[in-house]
């Protein structure tokens, strides 16, 4: 049997729970997009608010698309990160894509790990 699933029941139950949660997220997104298509003159989110991804599980914080790490201990200068970057530390402040672009243009450093400038800034 060509199978990449674990053989034991506890791990299979964990995968089942994850798959169920993920399927619920997908169905919720489908419903939201269908609702948006029915009402094209309305938007789901205000443009001033930063966009956030849904939580990965119960009682988990939502992940912003972009974040700002202020200069401080361990961070020599203000840095811009993707919201899911592993190198953000615990002080990531959620920001909009527009603010992230403005901060990068004003001299904020782009993270070397997640490279937000590759997505946010126009290519020369």
């Amino acid at each position: 049997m060509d199978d990449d699933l674990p053989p034991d029941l506890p791990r299979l139950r964990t995968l089942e729970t994850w798959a169920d949660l993920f399927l619920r997220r997908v169905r919720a997104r489908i419903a939201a997009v269908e609702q948006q298509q029915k009402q094209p003159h309305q938007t789901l989110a205000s443009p001033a608010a930063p966009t956030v991804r849904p939580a990965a599980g119960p009682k988990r914080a939502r992940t912003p698309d972009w974040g700002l790490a202020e200069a401080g201990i361990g961070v020599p200068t203000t840095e811009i990160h993707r919201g899911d970057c592993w190198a953000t530390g615990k002080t990531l402040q959620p920001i909009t894509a527009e603010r992230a672009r403005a901060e990068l243009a004003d001299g904020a450093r782009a993270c070397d790990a997640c490279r937000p400038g590759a997505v946010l800034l126009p290519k020369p």
Side-chain angles (χ1 to χ4, degrees):
M1 186 161 139
D2 188 21
D3 200 355
D4 59 349
L5 295 174
D8 58 303
L9 189 58
R11 288 190 289 172
L12 286 169
R13 291 289 184 199
T14 300
L15 287 173
E16 178 186 37
T17 301
W18 177 87
D20 182 51
L21 291 170
F22 194 75
L23 184 58
R24 289 179 193 189
R25 287 179 53 203
V26 169
R27 288 180 175 156
R29 179 65 55 92
I30 289 170
V33 170
E34 287 175 342
Q35 183 66 26
Q36 184 181 21
Q37 288 177 352
K38 288 179 185 177
Q39 302 169 352
H41 61 281
Q42 295 180 350
T43 59
L44 292 177
S46 79
T51 57
V52 293
R53 291 188 206 106
K59 298 182 182 177
R60 292 185 76 181
R62 301 208 181 273
T63 304
D65 287 335
W66 306 103
L68 174 77
E70 294 286 345
I73 298 174
V75 182
T77 182
T78 300
E79 288 183 338
I80 303 299
H81 294 269
R82 291 181 184 215
D84 59 352
C85 179
W86 60 268
T88 61
K90 297 183 186 226
T91 60
L92 190 69
Q93 175 185 15
I95 59 174
T96 62
E98 292 79 24
R99 178 158 178 217
R101 283 186 194 96
E103 293 284 343
L104 288 169
D106 288 342
R109 184 172 170 261
C111 173
D112 292 331
C114 64
R115 300 182 32 215
V119 176
L120 291 170
L121 299 177
K123 296 181 178 160

